[in-house]
Amino acid sequence: MSTQHSDEETPVSSDGDPLRLRLWDRIRFARQSYTERMPQIESIAYVFISPFFLLFGLFLAFPIVYTVYLSFFEYQSVSSDSLFWIDIGPIFIDVPQIAELQFVGFGNYAHMAGDSLFWQSMFNTTYILLIQVPIMIGLALALAIALNASFVRFKGFFRTAIAIPVSANIVAYSTVFLLLFNEQFGFINYLLSSVGVEPIAWLRDEFWARKTIIAAVTWRWTGYNMIILLAGLQNIPQQLYEAAEIDGASRWEKFRYVTLPQLKPVLLFVVVLSTIGTFKLFAEPYVITDGGPTNATITIVQYIYREAFQNWNLGYASALTVVFVAIVSVISIIQIKIGGDD
Amino acid sequence: MARITLTDLTKVYDPDGEAVVAVEDCNLTVDDGEFLVLVGPSGCGKSTTLRCIAGLEDITEGRLEFGDTDVTTYSASERDVAMVFQNYALYPHMTVRQNIGFGLKLSSKLSSSEINDQVESVAEMLGISELLGDKPKELSGGQQQRVALGRAIVRKPEVFLMDEPLSNLDAKLRSDMRTELQELQQNLDVTTVYVTHDQTEAMAMGDRIAVMDKGILQQVGPPEEVYRQPVNEFVADFIGSPSINLLSADVDGSTLLGPGGFKYDLGNASPVEGHDRVRVGIRPEDIRLVDGGPNRAEVTVVEPMGNENFCYMELEHIEMTARISPTQRPTAGEEVAFAFDEAALYLFDAETGDALKTKTDESPDNIHTEVST
C-alpha cells in the first residue's frame, strides 16, 4: 500500500495521567505474577466452600432434623449425660445429650387431634390468612398499576412512601398499632368519635381484634408486594399492549388478556410468599392482642411458642412445628400446581 | 380497503418540554390497494409516521383520513388497521390459534366456530396449520413472523401496517419472505404501508417508496423514479446499493474540477449555470475502468461477487465504488483510469443538495439490460 498515513502517532489514553496508569499496570502485573506463583492445591476449593456447609449444618440442618427427632419425645429436663463418645486413643470426644427425653412415639401427634387450642389457633390463622392475603394482594396490585400508569407523577416518592412500612421494626410498629387501636385513648377511636361513631372495642372484641391484626399486617406488607408487582408490570413488553390495542382491546381487555397472564408468575410468587408469611404470623398478635381476647387471635406459631417456651413442652411444640411445616408446604405446592403451568 | 391521506401531519414529542419534532408537515396519499414503503435512516420519523397512522401515537397537528373518513382522533382499536411489529409482539401466553383469533374475538361478532374456521383458513394460507396448538416460544423466528402475519390478515383490515417485519430474520429467509409478502399483498389487495431502513427491501417491494430524513418527507415515487430522478443528494445517496459516488467539484465554465485531479467537461453546461461549486454523483454501475484518461484513482479493495466485481478506489480521500465486469480484476494499490457518460451523471446544489441534473441515459423500458463495460 502506497497510501501515506502521516498521522500514525501512539494513541494517548483519554484518562491522561500516565503516572497513575503506570502505577495501576504495576499492581496488575504484580497480581498476575503472584497468581502464577501460587501453589496449586488439588482440593483447596473444598476449604473455601466449607464455611457455608459448617454454618448451614450447625444452624439450619441440625435444628430441622433435631426438631423432627424431638417430636417423638417428651421433654423432661436439661441433661449433661453422654449421648455417645468417640475414643481414639489420645483423643476422647464426648457428645452430651442435649436434653433428657422420654420416647412417646406418635403420642404428641395423637394429642394434637384432641387439643382444642391447637384447632383454635389453626382456625384463627386460616381466618386471618383468607381475609388478609386477598385484600393485601388486591391492594398491592391496584397500587402497582396506578404507579405504573404513565400519567402519574412523583412515582419515586409514592413508591418509596408506600414501601417504607416494610422497613419498620415489627415490635415497634405493632406497639404503635396497639396504641392506635386502644379502646379509650387510641387515635382510631378518637377519629371515629369525632364523626359520631361509637368507640369500638378493637382489642376486646373477637371480630375486631382479628381485623386489627389484619390491618396491621396489611399495612406493613402491602408496599413490599406492590414493589414486586410493579417490577413485574414493568417487565411486560409495551408492544403487547400496542398489539392488543390494534386488535381492538379495551382498557379492561388489555388488563384481562395481557397484564394478568403476563403477571401470573409474579402474582403466583407474591401469593405463595404472602401465604407463607401470614401463616407464620407471630409478632403482631403477640404484641397487639397477646392472642386474646380468649384466644381469638392466637396463631399457630404463637401457640407453638407458648408450648415450647412457656410450658416447656418441647416435644409437643416440635410435633406442632412438623405439622405446621407440612401444612405450609402442601398449601404452597397446591398454589404452584394450580397457578404455574409454564 | 381504503385510501390513506396524510395532510400536514406533524408529530411532536413532549410539546411542553423539549419538543422533539419527529415528523414535520407530512403530506402523503397511499392509494387503495397500494403497497407503499416508508424508508429512511434510523430516527428519520418513518416508524413514528406509521405509528401515527396506526393510532399508537397521537397526531400533534394535521389530518389523517382513511377513505373519506377523518380518523385523526380515532383510537387504534377504532381505526380497523392491522399491524405487524418488528419483534412480532405475539401474546406469549396464548397458542398460535388464540393469537391469530384474538382480534376477531375482541372486535367482531363472529361465533367461536366461525372464528376458528377463519383462523384455520389463514393458517393454511400461510402454511402454519400444524403449529396452531403451539405457544410462540416454541416457534422459530420465521414461524413467529407467519403467525404475526396471520394475526393481521385474519382481521381483513382496511389498512395493513408493517414496521420492519423482516429485520429479525436471517438473510435467506428475509428474501424468501419478501417475495411471499408481496404475493400476499397482491392477492389480498389491501392498502399497505411498510416501514424499513433497508433500501434494497424498499426498492424490491414498494409500488411506490417514500424517502424520509430528519422527520421530513423527501420524495415519493416509484422505485425507479426515486433511483433515477432523486430530488436531492440525500435521496440519491440513500437509495442504491452500493451507494452513489459523491464528490465536490468547482465549476469552471463547462468544466468540473474535483479533488485528486478530477476533471470532467460537460457537453451541456446549463444545469451548472450560476453555480461556482456543485456536488457530483455517479452510480457505481456507471463507472467504467478505461485504459487512459484524466480521471485516475487508486484501487484499495476488489470484492468479487461472482457475477460482477466491486472495485473500491480512492480519489484523494474520497472513497469511490465501481461495479465492473468479473473479468476485470485490478489489484490493490494499482492506479486505474475511470470514465462515465454525461447522461449517467447527477449534479446537486452544493449548499441545498437539490438536484440540478439527474440520470438521463437509458429509458425506463430498457433499464434492466446490462451495461457493457
Side-chain angles (χ1 to χ4, degrees):
Chain A
M1 300 275 278
S2 61
T3 333
Q4 284 162 9
H5 284 291
S6 54
D7 51 357
E8 272 184 11
E9 293 162 38
T10 44
V12 178
S13 162
S14 54
D15 294 26
D17 199 359
L19 199 78
R20 199 171 56 95
L21 285 180
R22 224 174 298 152
L23 183 67
W24 283 118
D25 280 349
R26 266 279 180 64
I27 294 172
R28 184 161 56 88
F29 296 147
R31 198 181 60 224
Q32 283 165 344
S33 85
Y34 273 125
T35 315
E36 282 155 20
R37 284 200 311 244
M38 210 72 112
Q40 297 282 318
I41 302 166
E42 246 343 89
S43 45
I44 194 79
Y46 295 109
V47 176
F48 287 131
I49 62 173
S50 61
F52 165 76
F53 285 99
L54 280 174
L55 292 173
F56 176 81
L58 203 59
F59 295 109
L60 274 162
F62 170 71
I64 290 171
V65 173
Y66 192 66
T67 301
V68 178
Y69 173 80
L70 259 186
S71 73
F72 297 104
F73 291 85
E74 197 172 295
Y75 173 80
Q76 305 291 325
S77 65
V78 181
S79 163
S80 56
D81 296 349
S82 277
L83 178 65
F84 63 90
W85 66 88
I86 302 166
D87 190 354
I88 34 171
I91 307 164
F92 179 80
I93 301 169
D94 178 32
V95 178
Q97 257 180 334
I98 300 171
E100 197 174 302
L101 303 170
Q102 189 191 338
F103 184 71
V104 292
F106 284 93
N108 286 328
Y109 293 95
H111 177 66
M112 247 176 260
D115 180 358
S116 64
L117 200 50
F118 165 68
W119 291 110
Q120 173 77 48
S121 67
M122 281 297 290
F123 171 79
N124 293 342
T125 311
T126 314
Y127 180 97
I128 292 172
L129 180 90
L130 287 180
I131 296 178
Q132 192 267 327
V133 171
I135 289 179
M136 176 179 67
I137 290 176
L139 206 59
L141 185 59
L143 287 168
I145 289 169
L147 280 190
N148 197 38
S150 51
F151 56 84
V152 174
R153 315 198 72 166
F154 309 115
K155 282 179 189 179
F157 168 75
F158 284 118
R159 204 165 50 213
T160 312
I162 297 168
I164 233 166
V166 83
S167 64
N169 176 285
I170 298 188
V171 176
Y173 102 86
S174 299
T175 312
V176 172
F177 266 79
L178 179 62
L179 297 173
L180 280 176
F181 285 86
N182 183 290
E183 196 178 334
Q184 281 134 42
F185 315 109
F187 185 63
I188 303 291
N189 273 351
Y190 167 76
L191 279 184
L192 289 177
S193 66
S194 69
V195 292
V197 179
E198 284 287 300
I200 292 170
W202 293 106
L203 307 178
R204 281 193 302 122
D205 181 279
E206 193 173 291
F207 177 83
W208 291 114
R210 285 182 187 145
K211 299 300 171 291
T212 307
I213 300 291
I214 288 169
V217 177
T218 306
W219 176 82
R220 187 165 196 265
W221 291 102
T222 300
Y224 173 80
N225 288 304
M226 178 202 72
I227 294 286
I228 299 177
L229 291 171
L230 189 58
L233 283 176
Q234 284 167 349
N235 267 334
I236 302 175
Q238 194 56 35
Q239 287 219 312
L240 291 184
Y241 290 106
E242 295 182 346
E245 207 169 310
I246 284 182
D247 272 337
S250 63
R251 205 175 271 265
W252 160 251
E253 283 164 335
K254 277 191 269 183
F255 176 75
R256 164 75 185 74
Y257 293 110
V258 178
T259 310
L260 271 190
Q262 285 291 295
L263 205 57
K264 205 166 100 176
V266 180
L267 217 45
L268 179 71
F269 174 77
V270 165
V271 167
V272 171
L273 228 62
S274 304
T275 306
I276 295 172
T278 304
F279 215 82
K280 58 180 202 190
L281 194 61
F282 171 72
E284 288 86 349
Y286 182 79
V287 173
I288 300 174
T289 60
D290 194 21
T294 52
N295 295 323
T297 58
I298 187 170
T299 60
I300 181 79
V301 176
Q302 202 181 355
Y303 181 52
I304 293 171
Y305 170 80
R306 271 192 199 175
E307 282 298 313
F309 303 114
Q310 289 179 342
N311 303 336
W312 292 102
N313 293 326
L314 288 181
Y316 186 50
S318 296
L320 286 170
T321 306
V322 170
V323 168
F324 165 74
V325 170
I327 293 172
V328 172
S329 308
V330 168
I331 292 176
S332 303
I333 289 168
I334 291 172
Q335 284 175 338
I336 292 167
K337 275 272 177 324
I338 294 174
D341 51 352
D342 314 310
Chain B
M1 271 162 276
R3 188 182 70 248
I4 307 171
T5 315
L6 283 68
T7 314
D8 296 329
L9 187 134
T10 298
K11 171 68 191 176
V12 182
Y13 286 107
D14 194 14
D16 306 325
E18 285 175 47
V20 180
V21 181
V23 182
E24 201 175 341
D25 289 330
C26 183
N27 286 292
L28 182 64
T29 304
V30 190
D31 291 326
D32 193 0
E34 188 182 16
F35 193 115
L36 181 104
V37 179
L38 271 175
V39 68
S42 47
C44 72
K46 57 189 189 298
S47 281
T48 307
T49 308
L50 190 80
R51 291 168 61 83
C52 283
I53 299 174
L56 296 173
E57 302 284 353
D58 296 332
I59 294 167
T60 315
E61 264 169 56
R63 206 166 64 240
L64 172 70
E65 286 157 284
F66 288 172
D68 297 322
T69 321
D70 187 334
V71 296
T72 312
T73 55
Y74 284 27
S75 73
S77 49
E78 293 165 329
R79 286 192 193 181
D80 193 22
V81 297
M83 185 156 167
V84 179
F85 293 85
Q86 181 175 357
N87 54 7
Y88 319 133
L90 300 177
Y91 309 113
H93 51 278
M94 296 185 194
T95 61
V96 169
R97 185 187 296 277
Q98 290 166 328
N99 260 289
I100 298 177
F102 187 64
L104 290 179
K105 181 174 154 186
L106 293 191
S107 57
S108 76
K109 297 246 184 314
L110 298 175
S111 72
S112 297
S113 69
E114 284 170 314
I115 292 177
N116 206 21
D117 288 346
Q118 296 202 12
V119 169
E120 276 173 13
S121 77
V122 165
E124 199 172 327
M125 179 159 80
L126 293 166
I128 50 171
S129 299
E130 71 283 7
L131 305 175
L132 283 174
D134 293 349
K135 293 266 179 77
K137 66 169 178 227
E138 299 166 61
L139 309 180
S140 70
Q143 289 168 332
Q144 291 188 23
Q145 165 74 72
R146 280 164 199 273
V147 177
L149 274 175
R151 188 169 67 178
I153 292 168
V154 81
R155 300 253 320 275
K156 300 194 176 67
E158 291 216 37
V159 170
F160 230 0
L161 304 173
M162 304 197 189
D163 191 1
E164 311 221 9
L166 303 183
S167 55
N168 283 8
L169 302 177
D170 62 66
K172 174 82 175 71
L173 201 54
R174 185 157 53 215
S175 66
D176 290 351
M177 281 307 284
R178 199 159 77 190
T179 327
E180 213 167 309
L181 260 181
Q182 278 172 290
E183 281 173 16
L184 205 62
Q185 197 269 341
Q186 274 158 21
N187 294 339
L188 298 169
D189 201 29
V190 182
T191 314
T192 304
V193 181
Y194 185 106
V195 162
T196 180
H197 63 269
D198 180 351
Q199 58 85 29
T200 318
E201 214 166 276
M203 293 290 283
M205 298 180 83
D207 291 332
R208 284 191 305 156
I209 65 181
V211 186
M212 290 188 76
D213 184 38
K214 300 189 180 107
I216 293 165
L217 183 62
Q218 306 287 326
Q219 186 172 6
V220 191
E224 276 170 20
E225 183 186 305
V226 174
Y227 186 79
R228 294 170 57 81
Q229 277 103 43
V231 295
N232 58 29
E233 189 183 328
F234 172 80
V235 175
D237 192 20
F238 191 78
I239 300 293
S241 172
S243 325
I244 191 168
N245 299 298
L246 287 162
L247 50 99
S248 298
D250 293 324
V251 180
D252 182 11
S254 63
T255 308
L256 303 173
L257 296 167
F262 177 87
K263 186 165 180 266
Y264 196 82
D265 290 315
L266 290 169
N268 173 13
S270 59
V272 297
E273 253 169 50
H275 290 84
D276 294 337
R277 203 167 162 74
V278 291
R279 295 279 287 166
V280 177
I282 315 139
R283 295 274 181 204
E285 63 271 29
D286 295 326
I287 294 189
R288 299 184 306 263
L289 300 190
V290 290
D291 288 335
N295 295 319
R296 311 187 71 83
E298 187 188 305
V299 176
T300 52
V301 177
V302 179
E303 287 178 352
M305 295 286 139
N307 60 338
E308 61 185 350
N309 286 345
F310 288 176
C311 176
Y312 297 94
M313 310 178 289
E314 253 180 16
L315 180 70
E316 206 153 275
H317 287 301
I318 295 161
E319 283 277 357
M320 300 199 46
T321 315
R323 291 168 65 174
I324 54 177
S325 145
T327 54
Q328 285 185 303
R329 280 206 75 170
T331 50
E334 191 183 324
E335 202 175 65
V336 291
F338 66 91
F340 51 89
D341 295 334
E342 188 174 333
L345 192 69
Y346 296 74
L347 293 170
F348 305 100
D349 188 296
E351 266 97 56
T352 63
D354 290 343
L356 304 172
K357 176 200 178 299
T358 55
K359 237 174 176 353
T360 47
D361 48 2
E362 310 127 38
S363 73
D365 308 325
N366 58 11
I367 193 156
H368 295 299
T369 52
E370 272 296 326
V371 183
S372 58
T373 49

